[in-house]
Amino acid sequence: HVSYPVCKIAQCQFPDGIKWAPSPFKLSSLVSLQDHAYPADELMPLTCRGRVRGQEPSRGDVDDALGKFSLTLIDTLDTLVVLNKTKEFEEAVKKVIKDVNLDNDIVVSVFETNIRVLGGLLGGHSVAIMLKDKGEYMQWYNGELLHMAKELGYKLLPAFNTTSGLPYPRVNLKFGVRHPEARTGTETDTCTACAGTLILEFAALSRFTGTSVFEEYARKALDFIWEKRQRSSNLVGVTINIHTGDWVRKGECCAESSKAGKWICRYGICQLCLVSVTALHQASLPGLQQCACAGGRDWRLHAFTTDFRVHWAQHPLRPEFAESTYFLYKATGDPYYLEVGKTLIENLNKYARVPCGFAAMKDVRTGSHEDRMDSFFLAEMFKYLYLLFADKEDMIFDIEDYIFTTEAHLLPLWLSTTNQTISKKNTTTEYTELDDSNFDWTCPNTQILFPNDPMFAQSIREPLKNVVDKSCPRSISRAEESLGSGPKPPLRARDFMASNPEHLEILKKMGVSLIHLKDGRVQLVQHAVQAASSLDAEDGLRFMQEMIELSSQQQKEQQLPPRAVQIVSHPFFGRVVLTAGPAQFGMDLSKHKSGTRGFVATIKPYNGCSEITNPEAVKEKIALMQRGQCMFAEKARNIQKAGAIGGIVIDDNEGSSSDTAPLFQMAGDGKNTDDITIPMLFLFNKEGNIILDAIREYEAVEVLLSDKAKDRDLEMENMDHKLSENDSHKQNSEEASSASQDVGAADSDSISTSSDQDSSIPGPGEAGAPEPACTQRDEQPQEQQSETESDSKVNWDNKVQPMESILADWNEDIEAFEMMEKDEL
């Protein structure tokens, strides 16, 4: 049983002399995993049930963390002890020992299973033996979690069966790799962090158990990566071939050259600081830098790209920002970081907390949610935010005696000097000792890299810039040929028709494959090695680039921004926000900032394709209806005639979800639709069922249809509830007060096509503009091609201290930011 204890957070002294105790996560209102999700790997906080792999629509690589081993339960064990919930911890350990099965026929990520499950078992074992030594709790414990960790370690070892020693990215818990029943072992590439950061947990497992094989395999992989570094800079790439050791992606690199890296290496816990581009994006690097250079305010609260656009609006409640805030506060003692933590806690409670947990944000611009609560939210986010405000006397043990793993699990520092199973270095790798004084001020020190010579880097590049052209014969490019009298490009993206056999044959020659998707769209994928020649491969690359630009342009021209359906009645109070597709007719919600608010009612007939037979139930309500059997505009006219103030069309495709399908946009019927004046929105089946389930449980359900979710004053919840009880004779519950603050600017989403009788906008997947494919290995979604079109500032809470006052001591940066705006970067 994993309970949700109310965090006790100490008061904090701020520079103005005002003491503030941050509002704790109001966890007493949450339903436990035991009631809704156990023994599933994760809790789905919107539908209040467990996520079981194979029973929900696949989310791609994200699901590789799920292994039917009660992931969240294991990942949260040592968090309970940090929060001083020792009784709950003891119960949770017993449940893990009794119920968790590690011998499942399922393919999992080696990296995620290592940091979450193996790390969770080792962290749980670490605090279990600590509690046992104290003499009050866990007296029955006899290393059961460590035995399970050892079993899991042996199940991960087959992944290291490669020529290089770098592990396969995935392994079957029951059958290992490279066997037909394993369904894995064919991969060629892995990320650097995935192969290089296993040393922490594997070395701890070896030193806890005295079995050296785990540390030996992990160290071999780490040494191999270090051996493949760029020698002059000590930099490593992002993605590496596990068989040849060739770098597949070299763009983002980091080095062992920080003092923190040397400290970790010296004490035998780790050897190389491997930070992927994903981690850099998620702001975990400040935590590393504070070890190396005592932190500071160089890493700001907000990050932005040079074009000042939102390219990834999703926020899966990742903990790296909270982690960095904690480490920077520990390093500097600067109370500014307490203000950052305060704001973070308030915003999590305000925007992410839903009746059954904390829901990831699907789009921070509209405030819509995903039915997702990853295990790291409880394992890391809770832990770091509690520790940020906790005093030493709030802890039942000394946190300084432990090191945090990637997943914030606790390993005792004494492991670094006890039972060292590796007695000699890898003889294939030579290590260069660096002088610690070189890194006293920055990491790394630029004076060391470029000694008193600002042109040092250029002096290295200049002699080498043409070395490839001079050494290798270079063919004339197609672009160069087209400037003369040579062959012209065989096919332009604007001319392509997916139904034209001649065009398909040209694509094949260029190494471009066309894939038909279930929802009617098509994807294009280019494999240069499959092209008929190098010139054809170059044509294919140019064609793909043109197609991406064309698709982006069409999306911006055709699409309307996504809309939001926000459930505002008890017990949701505006916390559940569903992503909705817009309509090209009816009220434009972007021009009516207050939106349309009302109670929902199901119409009869449910398809809305004829005169409504229950107008008394629909009048002054927002009508719910099912997609299909007639045009969307016809449904809108019928419910408007019955007196409805708005309409929500729910997809009839069972299991469809905005998590896995492009946003659907409702088009008119080819006639003049000026007579339709009410707002109409579209919800996929899963999101629509959330509202239908709420009706079945609470009867009166009130929603807000808007262009983006509105802020909610959560302190008014109790008042709303009391008013609702006092006025229970009314059909409606009393309206809850709203801050009525726009969350942010909405952006375009993707368009899906449909063969339903309902009309829809033909998207880039139609014959005229296939949607380009993009292979992603990280768990981030593909970048949206459309641009954000709002210049309005985001103001999350009109009661919070203004940003200008928070950033008062950052004048230089503000001036630089204003200068960049003037330059229109």
Side-chain angles (χ1 to χ4, degrees):
H1 174 74
V2 177
S3 63
Y4 294 92
V6 176
C7 299
K8 175 186 178 299
I9 304 182
Q11 286 188 330
C12 309
Q13 186 76 34
F14 283 86
D16 57 5
I18 299 176
K19 284 189 174 182
W20 172 83
S23 300
F25 292 112
K26 299 177 181 177
L27 304 179
S28 56
S29 66
L30 300 184
V31 183
S32 69
L33 287 169
Q34 173 69 26
D35 295 336
H36 286 298
Y38 191 80
D41 285 315
E42 291 178 352
L43 172 68
M44 300 172 67
L46 296 183
T47 51
C48 297
R49 67 178 191 268
R51 182 181 295 279
V52 178
R53 190 168 171 183
Q55 295 183 12
E56 302 291 334
S58 173
R59 301 174 299 171
D61 291 351
V62 177
D63 284 340
D64 287 345
L66 312 181
K68 297 183 180 179
F69 37 34
S70 298
L71 172 64
T72 302
L73 175 64
I74 294 176
D75 213 4
T76 315
L77 288 176
D78 54 8
T79 300
L80 292 171
V81 179
V82 170
L83 298 178
N84 199 10
K85 295 295 176 179
T86 49
K87 291 183 180 179
E88 289 85 348
F89 170 74
E90 192 159 14
E91 294 173 2
V93 172
K94 291 179 180 178
K95 187 166 285 292
V96 169
I97 296 170
K98 176 177 177 290
D99 296 340
V100 172
N101 178 26
L102 299 173
D103 194 38
N104 300 316
D105 179 11
I106 192 167
V107 176
V108 296
S109 163
V110 173
F111 172 73
E112 296 292 351
T113 304
N114 172 69
I115 65 171
R116 301 200 204 190
V117 185
L118 182 59
L121 292 170
L122 293 173
H125 172 72
S126 298
V127 293
I129 57 178
M130 177 270 295
L131 291 175
K132 184 175 182 178
D133 289 342
K134 287 180 176 291
E136 184 177 357
Y137 294 98
M138 304 300 293
Q139 296 306 300
W140 55 270
Y141 182 71
N142 194 31
E144 288 84 353
L145 293 179
L146 182 59
H147 298 322
M148 294 180 67
K150 188 175 182 179
E151 177 189 355
L152 181 59
Y154 279 122
K155 290 183 174 296
L156 296 179
L157 279 183
F160 291 86
N161 188 21
T162 61
T163 304
S164 66
L166 299 177
Y168 284 101
R170 295 170 184 83
V171 68
N172 187 301
L173 291 175
K174 190 176 186 69
F175 297 109
V177 295
R178 302 181 69 178
H179 298 288
E181 59 268 74
R183 305 184 302 282
T184 184
T186 59
E187 301 93 338
T188 59
D189 304 332
T190 191
C191 68
T192 309
C194 298
T197 60
L198 304 176
I199 185 67
L200 199 59
E201 289 81 5
F202 270 56
L205 180 59
S206 284
R207 299 187 186 193
F208 266 132
T209 63
T211 304
S212 63
V213 62
F214 305 110
E215 185 171 357
E216 289 172 355
Y217 274 94
R219 182 170 290 277
K220 180 183 177 183
L222 187 59
D223 288 348
F224 185 86
I225 291 177
W226 183 238
E227 188 176 3
K228 293 294 181 179
R229 73 193 184 281
Q230 208 284 331
R231 297 290 174 166
S232 63
S233 64
N234 284 348
L235 296 180
V236 295
V238 175
T239 307
I240 191 170
N241 186 296
I242 61 176
H243 302 295
T244 65
D246 294 332
W247 292 112
V248 180
R249 285 179 58 198
K250 302 179 181 180
E252 297 286 339
C253 306
C254 61
E256 191 203 20
S257 56
S258 72
K259 189 175 181 180
K262 287 180 59 58
W263 183 91
I264 296 172
C265 177
R266 176 173 299 172
Y267 287 93
I269 296 296
C270 185
Q271 182 174 335
L272 182 60
C273 302
L274 298 171
V275 183
S276 69
V277 63
T278 303
L280 286 169
H281 171 72
Q282 293 154 354
S284 60
L285 187 57
L288 173 64
Q289 285 201 316
Q290 73 88 10
C291 300
C293 40
R297 289 190 178 181
D298 292 334
W299 289 82
R300 304 298 197 240
L301 177 61
H302 298 283
F304 49 84
T305 56
T306 55
D307 61 358
F308 301 102
R309 303 288 186 182
V310 176
H311 292 281
W312 183 39
Q314 184 189 33
H315 192 294
L317 306 183
R318 296 196 63 91
E320 283 82 1
F321 183 72
E323 174 185 2
S324 297
T325 301
Y326 166 67
F327 282 124
L328 288 170
Y329 177 66
K330 291 286 290 184
T332 65
D334 189 340
Y336 162 76
Y337 296 109
L338 298 177
E339 296 188 47
V340 174
K342 169 182 178 289
T343 302
L344 183 53
I345 290 175
E346 290 176 339
N347 286 340
L348 283 171
N349 269 323
K350 190 169 188 177
Y351 299 106
R353 187 164 63 91
V354 295
C356 284
F358 285 80
M361 305 300 294
K362 183 175 184 64
D363 193 315
V364 296
R365 297 162 297 186
T366 64
S368 57
H369 292 119
E370 285 187 83
D371 200 3
R372 170 182 179 183
M373 190 177 83
D374 291 85
S375 66
F376 52 65
F377 182 74
L378 296 178
E380 300 185 69
M381 183 76 82
F382 272 26
K383 191 177 296 175
Y384 284 124
L385 288 177
Y386 179 86
L387 291 172
L388 176 62
F389 294 101
D391 293 326
K392 194 169 184 177
E393 55 268 23
D394 297 319
M395 303 292 296
I396 62 174
F397 63 97
D398 191 351
I399 197 69
E400 302 297 334
D401 291 338
Y402 294 82
I403 188 174
F404 290 100
T405 68
T406 305
E407 192 78 0
H409 294 304
L410 302 175
L411 296 178
L413 287 176
W414 54 258
L415 282 178
S416 63
T417 56
T418 302
N419 190 29
Q420 295 198 27
T421 58
I422 301 297
S423 58
K424 60 181 180 180
K425 291 182 179 179
N426 188 325
T427 56
T428 63
T429 305
E430 296 181 0
Y431 300 97
T432 303
E433 280 297 325
L434 300 176
D435 183 5
D436 283 350
S437 63
N438 292 342
F439 308 98
D440 282 346
W441 304 108
T442 61
C443 39
N445 191 303
T446 54
Q447 290 298 319
I448 298 301
L449 290 181
F450 315 115
N452 301 315
D453 183 4
M455 301 298 291
F456 182 71
Q458 183 177 343
S459 67
I460 294 178
R461 291 195 303 267
E462 193 66 26
L464 303 175
K465 66 178 183 180
N466 297 319
V467 66
V468 175
D469 290 343
K470 292 178 180 178
S471 302
C472 304
R474 186 172 68 89
S475 301
I476 299 176
S477 68
R478 179 76 73 182
E480 292 171 334
E481 284 186 342
S482 64
L483 295 176
S485 58
K488 296 298 186 290
L491 181 63
R492 304 302 300 268
R494 63 176 179 267
D495 302 325
F496 173 70
M497 296 291 291
S499 58
N500 187 324
E502 183 180 349
H503 289 182
L504 297 180
E505 189 63 31
I506 295 175
L507 289 189
K508 183 178 180 181
K509 186 178 180 183
M510 295 189 299
V512 178
S513 303
L514 186 143
I515 304 171
H516 292 273
L517 303 179
K518 293 181 179 179
D519 58 8
R521 296 177 301 132
V522 294
Q523 276 189 332
L524 296 175
V525 183
Q526 188 199 23
H527 300 283
V529 295
Q530 297 178 4
S533 68
S534 60
L535 288 179
D536 290 311
E538 185 178 335
D539 286 336
L541 177 61
R542 175 192 49 75
F543 176 83
M544 293 292 288
Q545 291 172 338
E546 286 184 0
M547 190 59 70
I548 291 174
E549 295 172 2
L550 181 62
S551 176
S552 175
Q553 179 181 354
Q554 290 188 348
Q555 287 185 33
K556 285 185 287 186
E557 291 175 353
Q558 296 179 356
Q559 284 190 316
L560 296 173
R563 304 303 187 204
V565 176
Q566 189 171 12
I567 307 179
V568 296
S569 54
H570 172 81
F572 305 96
F573 298 109
R575 293 196 214 92
V576 173
V577 185
L578 307 174
T579 299
Q584 289 193 320
F585 52 86
M587 179 190 292
D588 185 352
L589 291 171
S590 66
K591 297 179 180 178
H592 295 76
K593 295 300 182 181
S594 60
T596 297
R597 178 171 176 164
F599 287 86
V600 295
T602 304
I603 63 172
K604 296 179 182 179
Y606 191 32
N607 58 36
C609 293
S610 59
E611 184 176 355
I612 306 304
T613 60
N614 61 335
E616 70 287 345
V618 177
K619 187 175 182 180
E620 298 301 320
K621 303 285 181 61
I622 294 175
L624 299 178
M625 68 209 79
Q626 189 176 50
R627 176 188 179 189
Q629 301 184 29
C630 66
M631 309 297 282
F632 290 115
E634 184 178 348
K635 298 174 189 286
R637 291 189 178 99
N638 287 333
I639 64 170
Q640 181 174 284
K641 183 179 179 180
I645 60 174
I648 299 175
V649 179
I650 299 175
D651 193 8
D652 59 344
N653 182 14
E654 188 68 29
S656 66
S657 168
S658 63
D659 293 342
T660 55
L663 189 67
F664 191 87
Q665 182 178 194
M666 297 185 291
D669 54 3
K671 305 175 184 178
N672 190 315
T673 56
D674 291 344
D675 59 318
I676 303 175
T677 59
I678 61 175
M680 293 286 291
L681 296 181
F682 176 86
L683 288 179
F684 282 106
N685 185 265
K686 178 182 175 182
E687 284 79 3
N689 282 335
I690 291 176
I691 295 182
L692 296 176
D693 290 343
I695 294 175
R696 283 189 283 268
E697 186 167 356
Y698 303 107
E699 295 186 0
V701 174
E702 189 178 14
V703 302
L704 173 68
L705 311 184
S706 61
D707 63 333
K708 54 186 83 72
K710 308 304 178 185
D711 286 359
R712 187 77 181 160
D713 189 348
L714 298 183
E715 296 178 359
M716 297 299 294
E717 288 179 21
N718 293 332
M719 183 179 299
D720 282 344
H721 190 55
K722 292 178 181 177
L723 290 173
S724 178
E725 290 178 346
N726 293 338
D727 298 334
S728 59
H729 63 281
K730 296 181 181 180
Q731 184 178 2
N732 318 4
S733 62
E734 192 70 15
E735 289 192 355
S737 62
S738 172
S740 192
Q741 182 90 21
D742 287 348
V743 173
D747 196 5
S748 298
D749 209 331
S750 54
I751 303 176
S752 81
T753 64
S754 172
S755 58
D756 201 327
Q757 289 177 328
D758 301 322
S759 57
S760 64
I761 294 294
E766 292 282 321
E771 179 180 311
C774 178
T775 302
Q776 295 275 339
R777 289 195 177 273
D778 299 325
E779 64 180 32
Q780 289 89 340
Q782 298 180 11
E783 290 186 352
Q784 296 187 14
Q785 300 295 328
S786 56
E787 295 183 349
T788 307
E789 298 178 353
S790 173
D791 295 325
S792 61
K793 295 181 179 179
V794 178
N795 186 3
W796 288 97
D797 189 351
N798 57 0
K799 297 182 180 180
V800 190
Q801 185 180 5
M803 181 60 68
E804 287 78 4
S805 62
I806 294 179
L807 305 180
D809 57 336
W810 294 0
N811 291 328
E812 293 182 4
D813 294 290
I814 295 176
E815 291 173 2
F817 183 83
E818 292 173 347
M819 183 64 68
M820 285 190 287
E821 282 187 322
K822 292 178 181 178
D823 293 340
E824 296 183 348
L825 291 181

